[in-house]
């Protein structure tokens, strides 16, 4: 077996390359998006998704990317909603002045 990072030949059961130190086999659970973290990132706090990205980026890159993407989507939605409410509030506020 060869290291995917430095192409050095290593033992088949090696978890970390002895030459470059890169993890060859992920010994933790499968790297798949965590649905609970994604949902919490959208509905509750996008900061959770951003934090989980930095926690998982080396060990679980797919889950980390998914958490970051959903956190950024939530931030974008919050900004759009706040702008829409601001516009609606401005329009309704300016209409009140002319009704008197």
């Amino acid at each position: 077996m060869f290291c995917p990072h430095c192409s050095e030949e290593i033992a088949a059961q090696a978890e970390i390359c002895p030459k470059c130190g890169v993890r060859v086999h992920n010994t933790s659970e499968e790297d798949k998006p965590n649905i609970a973290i994604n949902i919490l990132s959208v509905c509750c706090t996008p900061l959770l998704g951003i934090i989980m990205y930095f926690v998982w980026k080396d060990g679980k890159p797919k889950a980390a990317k998914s958490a970051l993407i959903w956190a950024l989507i939530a931030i974008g939605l919050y900004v759009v909603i706040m702008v829409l409410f601001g516009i609606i509030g401005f329009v309704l506020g300016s209409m009140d002045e002319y009704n008197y």
Side-chain angles (χ1 to χ4, degrees):
M1 182 170 119
F2 293 93
C3 172
H5 187 259
C6 69
S7 301
E8 183 73 21
E9 189 171 359
I10 58 175
Q13 67 274 13
E15 294 178 16
I16 297 175
C17 175
K19 182 177 180 192
C20 66
V22 171
R23 182 171 299 278
V24 179
H25 292 291
N26 193 355
T27 57
S28 63
E29 60 203 42
E30 286 185 35
D31 180 22
K32 59 183 181 179
N34 188 322
I35 295 171
I37 295 296
N38 293 345
I39 291 171
L40 288 173
S41 294
V42 172
C43 356
C44 300
T45 174
L47 184 60
L48 175 67
I50 294 169
I51 291 170
M52 294 313 295
Y53 169 75
F54 288 107
V55 170
W56 287 340
K57 71 179 181 176
D58 293 327
K60 298 191 219 176
K62 288 181 185 175
K65 185 176 178 182
S66 175
L68 181 64
I69 288 171
W70 283 104
L72 294 176
I73 288 171
I75 290 171
L77 285 173
Y78 293 160
V79 167
V80 167
I81 289 170
M82 289 167 69
V83 167
L84 286 175
F85 281 149
I87 291 171
I88 290 170
F90 178 75
V91 169
L92 291 177
S94 65
M95 289 173 59
D96 262 355
E97 293 176 10
Y98 298 110
N99 285 341
Y100 294 113

